[in-house]
């Protein structure tokens, strides 16, 4: 089924590929094409409307990401035409986004379209909510868009079909895979052309850290703001996104960390109550099983629940950092004396460190200690789930283009 442009019944694969690869009215797309920019800006305005923001607040970040100024800066950073180099689109880009983070496909697709590519995005049939709101908004603004947009962009859904996936893979110039390790491995069974490239974003894990000294030095207002930001990182996407924190490391003296943690937990409970966030009973049962399982294994020394919404786990030590999903609203606490103690525990799978209370110099020293172990992003509380053009250490707009040297 085609979901963009317009909602329609399925079309044959040959027809889809012929249509999406055809040269659009007004000529081929180029990097930073104004026709695509105008469409993305209109789409951004649609997402930032109050009625959409109230229903799906996470779409506000997407709306800001696609503002006119942001798009202009992204294209400018490519440096097209500098020192005898020109940027060109790669061609046909095929995207397989994950089902559990139902807006990630828009970021990936939008940057690829901005790079002048023709795109086919396979949206999971399990996507709903925000994904449906996105598709509705895209189709709404299409009426005033240049015909080149509808000609070159497709978003489709289909049930698992290896024959169809293989044919799409064989036709693309770049394949973008998002999802769990098993999903990425399964999709890689389908070969791409020798000249085609692939970007893969498999399973990742993330955590958070608070400087106890920084917490104590912060004002009451700064502490509340930090907790509000952490709550967003924790509860959006049911804590299932690759950048959602699973562990919270307290960096400082144990006694001071205990006091700071008590205040933090109280503020977090207030934030949850204020926003009326809930976790359904089935999810709560899953959290009970997972967290008390950690205690039975000796990985946790204490487990406490504040209703269904929040579960807190005291880990037995740094070696017990939890990288798997334990259920929405689960925080695993561990205390270390310094960031330097944390560095040896970092693995290549670790993606994002959300932080509060550290100086830039402390974070910079930590990056040096971590070296090639892992981590691709270090961001303040509240920005863990904020998508950026550089993701998993890759500059996506650069990856979506190719360089033509001119001498």
């Amino acid at each position: 089924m085609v979901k963009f442009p317009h909602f329609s019944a399925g079309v044959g694969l040959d027809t889809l590929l012929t249509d999406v690869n055809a040269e659009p009215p007004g000529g081929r797309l180029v990097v930073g094409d104004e026709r695509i920019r105008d469409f993305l800006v209109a789409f951004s305005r649609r997402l930032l409307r109050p009625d959409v923001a109230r229903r799906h607040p996470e779409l506000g970040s997407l709306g800001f990401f696609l503002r006119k100024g942001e798009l202009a800066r992204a294209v400018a950073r490519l440096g097209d035409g500098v020192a005898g180099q020109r940027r060109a689109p790669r061609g046909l880009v095929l995207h397989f986004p994950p089902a559990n983070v139902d807006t990630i496909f828009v970021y990936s697709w939008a940057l690829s379209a901005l790079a002048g590519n023709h795109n086919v995005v396979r949206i999971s049939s399990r996507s709903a909510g925000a994904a449906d709101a996105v598709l509705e908004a895209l189709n709404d603004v299409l009426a005033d868009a240049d015909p080149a947009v509808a000609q070159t962009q497709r978003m489709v859904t289909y049930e698992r079909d290896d024959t169809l996936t293989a044919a799409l893979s064989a036709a693309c110039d770049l394949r973008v895979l998002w999802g769990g390790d098993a999903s990425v491995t399964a999709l890689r069974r389908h070969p791409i052309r020798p000249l085609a490239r692939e970007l893969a974003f498999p399973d990742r894990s993330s955590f958070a850290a608070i400087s106890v000294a920084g917490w104590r030095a912060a004002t009451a207002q700064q502490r509340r703001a930090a907790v509000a930001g952490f709550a967003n990182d924790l509860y959006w996407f049911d804590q299932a996104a690759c950048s959602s924190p699973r562990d919270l490391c307290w960096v400082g003296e144990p006694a001071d960390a205990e006091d700071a943690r008590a205040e933090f937990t109280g503020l977090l409970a207030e934030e949850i109550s204020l926003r009326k966030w809930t976790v359904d009973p089935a999810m709560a049962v899953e959290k009970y099983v997972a967290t008390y399982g950690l205690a039975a294994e000796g990985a946790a020394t204490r487990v406490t629940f504040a209703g269904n919404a929040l579960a807190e786990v005291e880990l037995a030590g740094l070696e017990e950092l939890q990288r798997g999903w334990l259920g929405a609203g689960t925080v695993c606490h561990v205390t270390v004396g310094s960031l330097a103690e944390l560095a040896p525990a970092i693995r290549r799978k670790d993606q994002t460190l959300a932080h509060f209370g550290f100086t830039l110099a402390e974070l910079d020293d930590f990056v040096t200690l971590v070296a090639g172990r892992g981590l691709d992003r270090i961001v303040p509380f509240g920005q863990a789930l904020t998508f950026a053009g550089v993701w998993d250490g890759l500059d996506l707009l650069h990856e979506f283009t190719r360089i033509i040297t001119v001498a």
Side-chain angles (χ1 to χ4, degrees):
M1 176 180 289
V2 177
K3 294 201 167 185
F4 174 82
H6 312 298
F7 291 90
S8 62
V11 298
L13 177 63
D14 291 342
T15 300
L16 184 148
L17 290 175
T18 298
D19 290 347
V20 78
N21 279 314
E23 182 165 328
R28 296 186 65 82
L29 298 180
V30 297
V31 175
D33 199 289
E34 292 295 337
R35 294 168 289 182
I36 297 295
R37 284 203 219 194
D38 289 344
F39 176 74
L40 293 177
V41 170
F43 174 52
S44 168
R45 294 194 186 108
R46 180 72 170 74
L47 293 181
L48 292 172
R49 278 173 33 178
D51 61 318
V52 177
R54 280 194 299 270
R55 286 185 293 131
H56 303 286
E58 66 271 30
L59 295 184
S61 296
L62 175 58
F64 278 101
F65 183 80
L66 297 175
R67 289 176 301 168
K68 184 175 182 179
E70 292 298 318
L71 298 180
R73 281 187 284 273
V75 173
R77 283 194 295 270
L78 280 173
D80 188 32
V82 175
Q85 294 185 349
R86 293 296 308 276
R87 289 276 177 175
R90 287 199 173 273
L92 179 63
V93 180
L94 175 62
H95 307 256
F96 288 95
N100 66 326
V101 184
D102 51 10
T103 56
I104 198 72
F105 74 91
V106 193
Y107 292 97
S108 178
W109 160 76
L111 287 173
S112 180
L114 183 63
N117 294 303
H118 298 214
N119 293 276
V120 175
V121 183
R122 191 260 176 154
I123 300 172
S124 171
S125 58
R126 291 183 287 133
S127 295
D132 289 342
V134 163
L135 289 165
E136 181 182 344
L138 285 169
N139 282 304
D140 282 350
V141 299
L142 187 64
D144 297 322
D146 189 281
V149 177
Q151 177 70 55
T152 59
Q153 313 299 318
R154 294 290 185 279
M155 296 182 186
V156 302
T157 185
Y158 61 88
E159 297 303 322
R160 182 172 178 176
D161 186 325
D162 284 349
T163 300
L164 188 53
T165 297
L168 287 169
S169 295
C172 73
D173 298 291
L174 174 65
R175 183 169 64 183
V176 186
L177 309 179
W178 302 80
D181 291 351
S183 297
V184 169
T185 300
L187 288 166
R188 279 179 165 167
R189 291 190 290 107
H190 305 294
I192 54 178
R193 295 184 292 193
L195 276 176
R197 299 189 70 231
E198 181 178 89
L199 298 178
F201 302 92
D203 278 337
R204 303 299 299 275
S205 56
S206 298
F207 56 98
I210 293 179
S211 165
V212 175
W215 176 265
R216 297 178 70 183
T219 65
Q221 184 178 8
Q222 289 170 330
R223 295 177 189 180
R224 285 190 174 276
V227 171
F230 181 82
N232 286 342
D233 296 340
L234 194 66
Y235 285 95
W236 282 2
F237 306 120
D238 286 336
Q239 206 179 348
C242 59
S243 54
S244 301
R246 312 284 170 70
D247 306 283
L248 178 54
C249 302
W250 293 88
V251 182
E253 293 298 325
D256 294 336
E258 190 69 25
D259 292 341
R261 175 180 159 183
E263 181 183 9
F264 180 90
T265 300
L267 291 173
L268 182 57
E270 290 179 17
E271 190 71 23
I272 294 169
S273 176
L274 180 67
R275 303 197 193 190
K276 296 181 173 59
W277 276 332
T278 58
V279 171
D280 65 63
M283 176 73 74
V285 170
E286 188 167 350
K287 286 199 295 186
Y288 272 102
V289 172
T291 55
Y292 283 109
L294 293 177
E297 296 165 3
T301 59
R302 184 174 61 183
V303 176
T304 57
F305 273 74
N308 286 351
L310 179 63
E312 293 195 280
V313 178
E314 181 74 36
L315 295 177
L318 195 56
E319 66 280 359
E320 303 295 348
L321 286 178
Q322 295 299 303
R323 291 173 168 85
W325 186 72
L326 299 171
T330 304
V331 185
C332 296
H333 296 272
V334 66
T335 300
V336 294
S338 67
L339 280 175
E341 291 182 30
L342 180 60
I346 301 301
R347 300 178 186 174
R348 186 65 193 93
K349 183 179 180 179
D350 296 330
Q351 183 213 60
T352 299
L353 169 64
H355 65 85
F356 176 78
F358 298 97
T359 66
L360 185 59
E362 288 174 316
L363 297 172
D364 194 53
D365 288 343
F366 180 62
V367 170
T368 302
L369 290 173
V370 169
R373 298 176 191 272
L375 287 182
D376 297 311
R377 305 172 65 234
I378 299 178
V379 298
F381 278 6
Q383 295 184 26
L385 300 175
T386 301
F387 193 86
V390 176
W391 197 256
D392 281 9
L394 297 173
D395 188 320
L396 294 185
L397 200 53
H398 280 77
E399 298 292 337
F400 288 142
T401 62
R402 57 190 179 89
I403 298 174
I404 301 175
T405 56
V406 182

